[in-house]
Amino acid sequence: MRILVTGGAGFIGRHVHRQVVAEGHQVDVLDSLRADVHREPPRGLDVIQADVRDAEALDRALPGVDAVIHLAAKVGLGVDVDDLDDYVSTNSLGTAVLLRAMARSGVRRLVFASSMVVYGEGHYDCDRHGPVAPGPRRIEDLERGRFEPLCPVCGEPLTPGLIDEDARLDPRNTYAATKVNGEHLAASWARETGGVVAAMRFHNVYGPGMPRDTPYAGVAAIFRSALDRGEPPRVFEDGRQRRDFVHVRDVAAAVSLALGNEQPFAAYNVGSGTVHTIGDLAAELARAYNAAPPVITGQYRLGDVRHITASSTRARTTLHWTPTYDLRTGIKDVLTTNS
């Protein structure tokens, strides 16, 4: 199979490239190499340097391609509202331009990098009212250190659980809204062209080659950047936020398997299946560095959610995907592997 990987010079993209090449596919990489993502040009990787919004570049790259793995995106929670138009242009418009070019070139197979952020808050149960969806967290509660969402009916504490792909989508920041929009655009494209789409809802991805020193990095990369500077990780809220940390090599394996999807549109959670807190991650990294323990700051970001953890049963049963790294072995791999 000949595959075009957009964003293939990025953190996840480089691992996906290695995975699909190792499986015998012919792979082309298209990447804008934008400065807020790439600190230096990738070594040993032939790249078509173009923005995914460049229709002419796509028209040159797509003929003869059997499938597209679309990873190109502006990621992370962002800095402030001034990022809003860049997120929408890069992610939503970029996906639309790519889908239109794929239709022109006759490419009908897409693996789309979505995210856990499409769910907003995760799955919660109330002892009295069963499964409930808490509303957006209030500034006044966060200012007082009240971080746990409460039942919207009775106001009692909730029990968090694993979320599956049938949950209601509820984006709570700009990045999340663009990922939901990307899924909807891809589903519409599939209906109109007879194409097939696998939307991979990545949970917290970490591993060798994580970006550093950028506000758009994931939490694992932010903690590692602090440790590299000789500073302890600074953990927001109380550190008890529940997440699913999944190793980038396991993610690359899931993406490769999703190339075999034959459904018009299928969404897959891509998580390790093991719940950890953000405090656990920070402590594990600090321990690996022989550094001072993390600092719990009590700070918050309004666009963050409290708990979001995955049920990856669909990917395991349908794609026959099995994650292989736990958090401790994964962090060891981060520190002993160059890229």
Side-chain angles (χ1 to χ4, degrees):
M1 188 181 292
R2 183 176 172 193
I3 301 165
L4 178 68
V5 182
T6 73
F11 165 44
I12 296 175
R14 294 195 302 276
H15 289 273
V16 167
H17 177 268
R18 291 191 191 105
Q19 179 79 28
V20 293
V21 166
E23 293 175 1
H25 298 293
Q26 180 183 348
V27 184
D28 299 319
V29 169
L30 184 143
D31 199 296
S32 66
L33 301 180
R34 55 186 290 171
D36 60 348
V37 177
H38 301 275
R39 297 174 66 190
E40 58 185 31
R43 296 186 295 273
L45 185 65
D46 291 331
V47 177
I48 303 167
Q49 186 171 353
D51 195 290
V52 75
R53 293 166 290 188
D54 185 340
E56 292 183 359
L58 291 172
D59 285 342
R60 292 191 296 269
L62 283 168
V65 166
D66 300 300
V68 172
I69 298 173
H70 181 33
L71 304 175
K74 185 180 177 77
V75 301
L77 184 58
V79 178
D80 54 39
V81 74
D82 285 340
D83 284 331
L84 195 152
D85 55 344
D86 192 19
Y87 273 104
V88 173
S89 178
T90 302
N91 298 355
S92 296
L93 177 60
T95 298
V97 172
L98 172 65
L99 293 170
R100 184 184 178 199
M102 290 173 66
R104 285 195 300 269
S105 298
V107 184
R108 296 293 184 263
R109 185 172 298 276
L110 175 68
V111 178
F112 174 67
S114 189
S115 171
M116 66 175 190
V117 298
V118 299
Y119 299 117
E121 288 285 350
H123 176 92
Y124 293 88
D125 288 297
C126 172
D127 288 343
R128 293 174 58 188
H129 298 101
V132 295
R137 295 193 292 170
R138 302 185 307 168
I139 292 178
E140 54 266 38
D141 289 334
L142 298 172
E143 290 286 350
R144 291 178 172 86
R146 300 171 183 166
F147 301 124
E148 294 290 345
L150 302 176
C151 176
V153 181
C154 65
E156 292 299 310
L158 299 173
T159 301
L162 303 183
I163 199 160
D164 65 26
E165 293 87 350
D166 295 326
R168 180 174 65 98
L169 305 186
D170 184 21
R172 299 197 176 186
N173 59 56
T174 302
Y175 171 58
T178 64
K179 282 300 173 184
V180 171
N181 185 228
E183 288 196 15
H184 289 167
L185 289 170
S188 175
W189 167 86
R191 286 192 299 271
E192 294 183 27
T193 65
V196 294
V197 178
M200 312 302 284
R201 294 175 180 168
F202 300 149
H203 283 246
N204 292 79
V205 185
Y206 72 100
M210 290 186 298
R212 303 189 192 185
D213 302 319
T214 166
Y216 303 101
V219 66
I222 291 171
F223 290 162
R224 189 183 181 191
S225 292
L227 288 161
D228 284 340
R229 295 191 302 268
E231 303 169 4
R234 295 178 58 82
V235 180
F236 280 16
E237 302 186 18
D238 58 5
R240 296 176 184 170
Q241 308 94 304
R242 292 160 55 102
R243 295 293 187 270
D244 187 321
F245 300 102
V246 58
H247 193 281
V248 67
R249 291 199 184 96
D250 287 333
V251 167
V255 168
S256 180
L257 289 167
L259 288 166
N261 169 63
E262 296 295 343
Q263 298 183 57
F265 181 89
Y268 298 97
N269 285 336
V270 183
S272 70
T274 302
V275 175
H276 290 283
T277 68
I278 290 180
D280 291 339
L281 173 69
E284 196 67 49
L285 278 164
R287 188 179 303 113
Y289 269 78
N290 292 315
V295 175
I296 307 298
T297 69
Q299 294 173 276
Y300 66 88
R301 297 187 303 178
L302 190 58
D304 277 336
V305 297
R306 179 61 175 175
H307 303 300
I308 176 69
T309 52
S311 167
S312 297
T313 300
R314 181 180 293 177
R316 291 171 182 259
T317 57
T318 305
L319 301 180
H320 307 292
W321 171 70
T322 303
T324 57
Y325 287 85
D326 62 27
L327 187 60
R328 181 158 294 184
T329 59
I331 287 176
K332 182 179 179 181
D333 185 54
V334 169
L335 301 185
T336 57
T337 307
N338 291 326
S339 63

